Amino acid sequence: MRIQETAVYRGPHYYSARPMVRIRLDLERLEEWPSHRLPHFTDRLLVALPGLETHGCSYHAPGGFVRRLREGTWLGHVIEHVALELQVLAGVRVTRGKTRSVKGAPGVYDMLYAYETEGLAKAAGRLALLLVDSLLPGDLRGVTGLEKVAPPLAGSVETPLDLNRAIGVLRDLARRESLGPSTKALVDEARRRGIPVQRLDDQSLIQFGYGARRKLIRASITGETSHIAVETAGDKALTKRLLAAAGVPVPRGAVVRTADEAVKEAQRLTGPVVIKPQDGNHGRGVNLGLEGETAVRWGFDQARQHGRRVLVEEQFSGRDHRILVVDGEVVAVAERVPAQVIGDGRSTVAQLIEAANRDPRRGQGHQNVMTRIAVNEHLEEMLVRAGLDLQAVPADGAVVQLRATANLSTGGSAIDRTAEIHPDNAGIARRAALTVGLDVAGIDFLAPDIRRSVRETGGGVIEVNAAPGLRMHLAPSEGQPRDVARPILARLIPRGQRARIPIVAITGTNGKSTVGRMAAAIFKAHGRTVGLTNTSGVYVGDELVKAADASGPKSARMVLRDPTVDIAVLETARGGILREGLAFDRCDVGMVLNVTADHLGLKGIETLEDLVKVKSVVTESVGRRGVSVLNADDPMTLRLARHAGGRVAYFTLNGGTDLSPMLQKHVAEGGLLAAREPSVRGGELVLYDGERRTVVMSADEIPATLSGLATFNIANALAALLAGHAQGVPAETMARALRGFRSGFEDNPGRLNLHETHGFKVIVDYAHNPAALRAIGDLIEGLRPRIGKAIGVVSIPGDRRDGDIREMGEIAAGLFDDLVFRERPDGRGRTPGSVVALLSEGALSTGFPPGRLHRILSEPDAVDQGLRLASAGDLVMIFPTSVEKVWRQVESYRPTVSRDGQAQTNLGGVVA
């Protein structure tokens, strides 16, 4: 087998709406060996991974996948299921996958499977390939290209393959990458509510929502949590003083710095004492029930390891409880039981601990319901104080306490007591949280009986904790689980409050950048802070945040994370969709401007139908209340209407009496349409929405249309009007914005940028495919009465098909009087001169005069030649690669001037 390529999709993509890993696999000789032809393959696979017997596959019932194996299925499909099962064995529940043959490539398959964390998913894919390969007959074994999937698994488990150890490596990876239970509960609740989630680091920093409506959490610390409150809760002595002043019962005690001071304070207090670090957490360095100088000094030394200042305080009697307070209300109560084992009269303490740790509910760290009990110095000291050691055999039924504190992180367990708490105790917990100022607080509360008021029984608040763990409430060892994530998220994002900002996603072969800038201008005029991405960069408001080709998902995420952006306008190019999918789960306006033959033959996109499917990812991601905007003048785009999300809107240059029957029916049925209708001023731009017809403006009022001659910019304006209308922008506001929209380099670089100070016109435009060049041709024809010669400096990216390059040359020959063909600096995989040769071949095939055709590879030299060919009144059209450099070259160019002040051209010393 050979791995051809891989991809990780983080949003809706070409193959599915859900995040997935894709591995393109060439089975080579194994195409002739489906599973039923491989001796003992299925039986050996099921012995290795018995969980595969539960996979339903296409039969949608347990055993369905085994049935497919015995009937015969190809190994790409097998590896997909194995990759899913390996993730399940690592502790991550995923079930979705698909495997499809690649069109026109026999034996090549796209294998896709769902994931939660990327590192684990890729490692599972690598192990799945290795495992299946290991089960094949010797002469069929061998996988190449594994490095494209994931790096080798740690621990030398691959050669020879040790499956059990390899699965252990996956489990370790899952523990490192997975969210903790508190964060995961909040993330799950957000997803249930349809709130977008982004993980901002490899720990627990999470963004809910987008842009100006975003909210942050880190575990149970929220973006609304007061820093002062967190600092206060971390200072246990200060917290006690504040709570005591507020009437909250707290234990007496003092902060000490030396063991002698600790002994002195313990002698002052009556009864056993608690010694702990002043600013510790998770029960580290905390010891209870200390009496006598030796025990106190030991307790001080333990606490001192976790902080410079140590707190000695009286010990309240009673059971340990954690009360969770959210927004001033008690939402859950758990009794915490310290780690312990119960003797059976036969087993040693060490054996009892080992048995307890085999409980599947226990795990490392905070990932499971309970934590494994670790044997350490603290545990052994607890045994010594009880007159035991690890080899002691406790009597049958004897309870052996292994920890002084009841923290779950040290092996404790939890019992839900939410329904039992006395109102007085709940009121004390609320007062404690409010006094410290925490929006989410964990109150450590000691009470002999939580059902009775501590004002009668004694007891009270021991600590107030910021960032309290939630797992004891989400999944207690005993009692009813409590959905504590819901009130926390409701505090952060109340129900009914939007967490999303509007997203306008724009795709198509041509016009994306201009439509994006027009839409941004419209929203800015409406008072919105716009986040805009396009091939020039990332913009927030009027600021260029990053100069780059920013038409992919990485740049879109930059905008969606910006806390000042309240509407996002995102150019969404084909490449980013194919590489990793969309940056969002759904959008409010999805636009497909046109679909023409560009970028074909790349990334498996061979036909226009394939390209339509790529573009459809945008409109299929439009939300139920959103709008899909389609070009009614483009037959390929019209195909998207059937599966487009939200309300479908069309734009057309053929309005009025030329309106098609389909669009007439659409309008009659209350549909949304933007149309150019005939008039003496380049046409009127009209919006139809149900029975309402609104004339927005005349086309020639938009400077970027060059008095209505640039019809492609009229179409772009119609699309932008639909985006604005969909977001409730009044027609007069949209008209005002477009009246100020020019095609200058500073406003819209590389898009119909006009320069007129050399005595002739220069237009710099990024048209780089046949469809864009044809659209420019309509403009040139409109300008013909006003210009002399038309000179074109033309190129096309080298990764286009030979036929596309020749077609570009043919079209150029029909538009220009003089041609300068050049190449891109990178060549896109072609040898120098080959693109120019194909362009020339296309132009000359039309009968274009060879003497008027110039072949110059360098872009600066080609631009210079094009400018030198121009005389007064001519038009030079330059289609650049390096837009800014070419524009600066045009600005700095100085033509030769004749005695009568007219621009002339100097060719090889001859004045022409």
Side-chain angles (χ1 to χ4, degrees), residues 12-14 16-17 582 585-587 590 592 612-624 628 639-640 642-646:
H13 51 96
Y14 184 71
S16 173
L582 301 179
D585 57 344
R586 69 173 187 259
C587 57
V592 181
V612 167
K613 185 179 175 183
V614 175
K615 305 298 185 182
S616 73
V617 174
V618 170
T619 48
E620 290 180 17
S621 299
V622 173
R624 183 167 50 87
S628 290
R639 297 185 182 189
L640 302 176
R642 181 177 178 184
H643 298 292

Side-chain angles (χ1 to χ4, degrees), residues 242-439:
L242 293 175
L243 296 184
V248 174
V250 293
R252 296 177 300 137
V255 176
V256 299
R257 296 179 181 272
T258 68
D260 290 341
E261 289 180 4
V263 171
K264 184 177 180 179
E265 180 62 22
Q267 291 171 345
R268 186 182 70 84
L269 301 169
T270 58
V273 297
V274 177
I275 300 181
K276 56 188 176 183
Q278 183 180 352
D279 53 359
N281 52 39
H282 296 296
R284 298 185 184 98
V286 179
N287 285 281
L288 290 70
L290 301 176
E291 294 185 277
E293 181 175 342
T294 301
V296 169
R297 289 184 181 277
W298 176 83
F300 176 85
D301 290 341
Q302 292 292 310
R304 190 69 173 75
Q305 296 175 26
H306 299 277
R308 290 186 302 170
R309 293 186 293 179
V310 174
L311 192 60
V312 179
E313 60 186 25
E314 67 177 328
Q315 180 171 324
F316 279 164
S317 62
R319 296 177 178 180
D320 188 336
H321 301 84
R322 168 61 63 83
I323 303 173
L324 184 65
V325 179
V326 178
D327 198 20
E329 297 295 330
V330 171
V331 299
V333 181
E335 179 185 339
R336 300 187 297 179
V337 180
Q340 61 184 29
V341 292
I342 300 175
D344 59 9
R346 301 183 309 276
S347 305
T348 66
V349 172
Q351 291 170 332
L352 293 170
I353 292 172
E354 185 178 346
N357 282 338
R358 285 197 292 269
D359 185 334
R361 295 176 299 171
R362 291 191 184 272
Q364 297 290 343
H366 298 269
Q367 300 301 319
N368 291 48
V369 174
M370 296 188 292
T371 301
R372 287 194 178 99
I373 302 168
V375 176
N376 55 22
E377 178 189 354
H378 189 100
L379 182 145
E380 293 185 39
E381 174 64 24
M382 287 292 297
L383 292 175
V384 168
R385 288 161 62 183
L388 301 170
D389 60 26
L390 288 168
Q391 301 309 313
V393 178
D396 187 21
V399 176
V400 180
Q401 186 170 328
L402 302 173
R403 286 288 189 275
T405 61
N407 298 71
L408 266 65
S409 58
T410 58
S413 56
I415 304 169
D416 179 65
R417 302 292 189 197
T418 305
E420 303 175 26
I421 189 170
H422 189 279
D424 283 358
N425 298 339
I428 290 169
R430 285 196 300 269
R431 180 175 290 276
L434 292 169
T435 298
V436 173
L438 288 169
D439 57 339

Side-chain angles (χ1 to χ4, degrees), residues 475-493:
S477 311
E478 298 179 32
Q480 180 180 340
R482 301 291 173 174
D483 183 4
V484 294
R486 180 173 296 181
I488 294 174
L489 194 65
R491 164 74 172 78
L492 194 61
I493 307 173

Side-chain angles (χ1 to χ4, degrees), residues 537-858:
V538 178
Y539 300 80
V540 174
D542 294 326
E543 179 185 0
L544 175 60
V545 175
K546 182 178 181 181
D549 182 347
S551 57
K554 183 178 180 180
S555 303
R557 284 192 289 270
M558 185 185 300
V559 164
L560 296 176
R561 291 173 180 174
D562 191 294
T564 66
V565 170
D566 52 28
I567 188 167
V569 179
L570 308 175
E571 182 173 337
T572 309
R574 164 208 60 89
I577 297 174
L578 291 173
R579 186 172 60 253
E580 61 173 281
L582 301 179
F584 45 84
D585 57 344
R586 69 173 187 259
C587 57
D588 300 88
V589 180
M591 312 174 76
V592 181
L593 305 179
N594 40 64
V595 183
T596 61
D598 193 20
H599 298 282
L600 298 183
L602 301 174
K603 293 288 185 182
I605 306 304
E606 304 295 336
T607 66
L608 265 179
E609 287 72 20
D610 293 339
L611 194 56
V612 167
K613 185 179 175 183
V614 175
K615 305 298 185 182
S616 73
V617 174
V618 170
T619 48
E620 290 180 17
S621 299
V622 173
R624 183 167 50 87
R625 298 180 180 178
V627 175
S628 290
V629 176
L630 303 175
N631 183 353
D633 299 335
D634 181 350
M636 301 305 293
T637 305
L638 285 174
R639 297 185 182 189
L640 302 176
R642 181 177 178 184
H643 298 292
R647 185 185 186 193
V648 176
Y650 297 100
F651 64 94
T652 178
L653 292 171
N654 303 307
T657 57
D658 295 328
L659 195 65
S660 71
M662 184 276 287
L663 291 179
Q664 292 179 32
K665 182 173 182 290
H666 176 73
V667 171
E669 292 175 348
L672 181 57
L673 172 72
R676 179 188 65 172
E677 297 187 347
S679 78
V680 295
R681 301 181 61 189
E684 290 181 329
L685 308 190
V686 181
L687 281 173
Y688 291 88
D689 189 353
E691 298 180 354
R692 179 177 297 178
R693 175 182 182 273
T694 304
V695 178
V696 180
M697 63 195 309
S698 296
D700 66 354
E701 294 181 74
I702 305 173
T705 67
L706 301 184
S707 301
L709 295 176
T711 55
F712 52 87
N713 270 350
I714 298 176
N716 290 336
L718 291 169
L721 288 175
L722 286 172
H725 181 76
Q727 287 299 304
V729 183
E732 55 270 21
T733 302
M734 295 193 288
R736 184 174 73 252
L738 292 180
R739 287 189 191 102
F741 190 86
R742 305 180 182 278
S743 263
F745 175 81
E746 302 302 329
D747 299 317
N748 197 13
R751 273 71 183 177
L752 210 63
N753 304 150
L754 178 62
H755 191 285
E756 296 187 281
T757 63
H758 296 328
F760 52 85
K761 298 180 188 295
V762 180
I763 293 179
V764 175
D765 189 271
Y766 190 59
H768 59 284
N769 57 58
L773 196 56
R774 286 193 186 93
I776 290 290
D778 294 338
L779 170 63
I780 294 172
E781 288 307 307
L783 290 172
R784 276 293 180 183
R786 312 178 193 181
I787 62 172
K789 291 184 302 179
I791 301 155
V793 181
V794 179
S795 187
I796 185 173
D799 57 1
R800 303 315 195 260
R801 300 172 301 180
D802 289 0
D804 297 330
I805 299 175
R806 289 191 192 94
E807 184 184 6
M808 194 80 166
E810 293 170 10
I811 297 168
L815 300 179
F816 298 105
D817 303 299
D818 287 277
L819 278 172
V820 181
F821 286 148
R822 65 165 187 87
E823 294 193 349
R824 293 176 60 96
D826 55 15
R828 296 268 180 105
R830 290 186 182 265
T831 57
S834 58
V835 170
V836 162
L838 289 168
L839 287 169
S840 300
E841 186 179 322
L844 294 174
S845 71
T846 68
F848 191 82
R852 306 190 78 101
L853 176 60
H854 307 266
R855 303 170 180 86
I856 300 175
L857 300 191
S858 160

Side-chain angles (χ1 to χ4, degrees), residues 1-22:
M1 296 180 284
R2 181 168 60 90
I3 312 302
Q4 291 189 346
E5 63 183 36
T6 62
V8 177
Y9 300 112
R10 300 172 178 90
H13 51 96
Y14 184 71
Y15 303 93
S16 173
R18 68 182 67 249
M20 284 184 152
V21 170
R22 178 175 66 87

